[in-house]
Amino acid sequence: MPDASPWKRVLLKCSGEALMGDGAFGIDFAALERIAGDIAEVAASGVQVGVVVGGGNLFRGVRTAASGMDRPSADSLGMLATVMNGLALADALKRGGTDAVSMSAIPMPTVCPSYTRRDAMAALAAGQVVISTGGTGNPFFTTDTAAALRAAELGCDLLAKGTQVDGVYSADPKKDPSATRFDRLSHGEVLRRGLEVMDTAAIALTRENHIPVMVFDLHQQGGFAAALTGRGLSTTITDD
Ligand code: UDP
């Protein structure tokens, strides 16, 4: 990473869908390796990196509940999906030579360490990439909210939300060609305009804790480092 990142400790939200690559379900190993490489690039530059990984490539509670399953059970499937993704991402990072640990908010000690703030803080300080899985550990939440929660409790100075587009647009740019991209927004504007960046709980949590949110394209190789150093396009959401 040629330029220095102004951010010292960053929480990356990586959706499950990003791990799908061009597929329709599951983990695409080429996409997994590429994203692990992008995270490794940032970690190697000295930025401490926490990651919250989603599970939408495997299960989404709301969608599964729509088929008749009760919502808390469906959400448990979703949270377990994030654990699988986190284990795969930690493995890809380690194979690439980057020290990483995947910690689950749902204790499963024979599979991976349980998430505790204390252990996560220690691992970040030691330079490990810390992947927080299992969401918040509670149904009726999303991994966006889990990302905001971890960013707040781990003292991250930025929540970097990796998406399929290079920022926040006035409308869905895939459906509306006249949609324009915002360079900057405030948390309040996102809530007032109902912009679909993250769910309301996640935006509210970042606003209360004065954590900027940077929305960038995680599908571009090197997009994470480019966004952090201001070389790539992104939208930054800051205090009102
Ligand atoms: N989930 C949950 N509680 C949490 C986080 C996630 O119950 O704190 C469940 C929920 O069912 C969600 C699924 O896990 O649909 C996968 O997470 P998400 O949809 O946020 O993943 P992403 O869209 O980022 O891939």
Side-chain angles (χ1 to χ4, degrees):
M1 195 155 93
D3 307 309
S5 158
W7 314 102
K8 304 292 173 227
R9 180 175 286 182
V10 174
L11 194 293
L12 170 68
K13 165 64 206 298
C14 172
S15 69
E17 274 179 10
L19 302 178
M20 237 161 43
D22 295 327
F25 182 82
I27 298 174
D28 173 78
F29 281 84
L32 177 74
E33 303 278 334
R34 214 263 308 140
I35 290 170
D38 281 8
I39 295 171
E41 180 186 12
V42 170
S45 75
V47 178
Q48 295 180 358
V49 186
V51 183
V52 165
V53 68
N57 55 324
L58 300 168
F59 281 103
R60 276 227 169 80
V62 178
R63 207 168 48 205
T64 312
S67 319
M69 186 183 281
D70 88 302
R71 176 74 189 270
S73 301
D75 281 338
S76 293
L77 291 184
M79 288 188 277
L80 292 174
T82 72
V83 178
M84 288 198 266
N85 285 336
L87 290 171
L89 188 56
D91 176 73
L93 280 160
K94 284 189 267 191
R95 276 187 287 113
T98 299
D99 200 4
V101 59
S102 186
M103 299 179 176
S104 170
I106 302 168
M108 46 180 91
T110 53
V111 174
C112 62
S114 299
Y115 174 87
T116 66
R117 176 174 178 268
R118 184 195 56 227
D119 290 348
M121 293 288 267
L124 284 171
Q128 278 188 302
V129 173
V130 175
I131 303 166
S132 169
T133 68
T136 63
N138 299 287
F140 300 103
F141 285 97
T142 66
T143 49
D144 279 353
T145 301
L149 174 65
R150 297 300 181 233
E153 69 177 342
L154 296 175
C156 295
D157 41 27
L158 179 73
L159 195 171
K161 166 141 169 119
T163 67
Q164 313 213 41
V165 284
D166 53 12
V168 182
Y169 281 75
S170 53
D172 184 346
K174 289 189 176 144
K175 294 183 191 146
D176 181 351
S178 69
T180 51
R181 190 180 57 79
F182 298 99
D183 278 334
R184 298 195 91 79
L185 281 166
S186 68
H187 296 99
E189 276 177 290
V190 171
L191 293 173
R192 276 192 299 279
R193 292 179 183 228
L195 296 169
E196 289 182 13
V197 182
M198 301 199 296
D199 53 81
T200 311
I203 288 289
L205 206 49
T206 51
R207 176 162 74 166
E208 265 168 39
N209 292 284
H210 311 289
I211 300 168
V213 179
M214 182 182 279
V215 180
F216 72 98
D217 189 356
L218 187 60
H219 286 69
Q220 291 293 326
Q221 179 147 18
F224 186 24
L228 292 188
T229 55
R231 283 180 287 117
L233 292 179
S234 63
T235 299
T236 306
I237 303 162
T238 49
D239 278 352
D240 298 13

